[in-house]
Amino acid sequence: MPKIELDEETIERLDGLRIEDESYDEIVTELINIYQAEELTLFRGSDEDY
């Protein structure tokens, strides 16, 4: 897995989203899943207009 560096503000924002002892890996995975679901919804929603 690639390693990334986060600035302090980003870490604070992630800490605000964490539930109990959730790892950063778990929260980032959850955020990616949410992003992908929203992207898919937007893509499918635009297909309905045609």
Side-chain angles (χ1 to χ4, degrees):
M1 177 179 267
K3 293 188 179 204
I4 59 170
E5 291 185 33
L6 303 172
D7 63 26
E8 203 167 312
E9 181 183 345
T10 302
I11 292 171
E12 288 174 8
R13 292 177 69 186
L14 287 173
D15 284 340
L17 295 171
R18 290 171 74 187
I19 299 171
E20 296 176 13
D21 292 332
E22 189 174 34
S23 71
Y24 289 120
D25 187 49
E26 291 170 322
I27 188 128
V28 169
T29 299
E30 185 175 343
L31 290 170
I32 290 169
N33 290 338
I34 291 168
Y35 173 80
Q36 289 175 334
E38 287 182 5
E39 184 180 69
L40 193 58
T41 300
L42 289 173
F43 178 75
R44 286 185 178 160
S46 66
D47 285 347
E48 292 174 4
D49 293 338
Y50 294 105

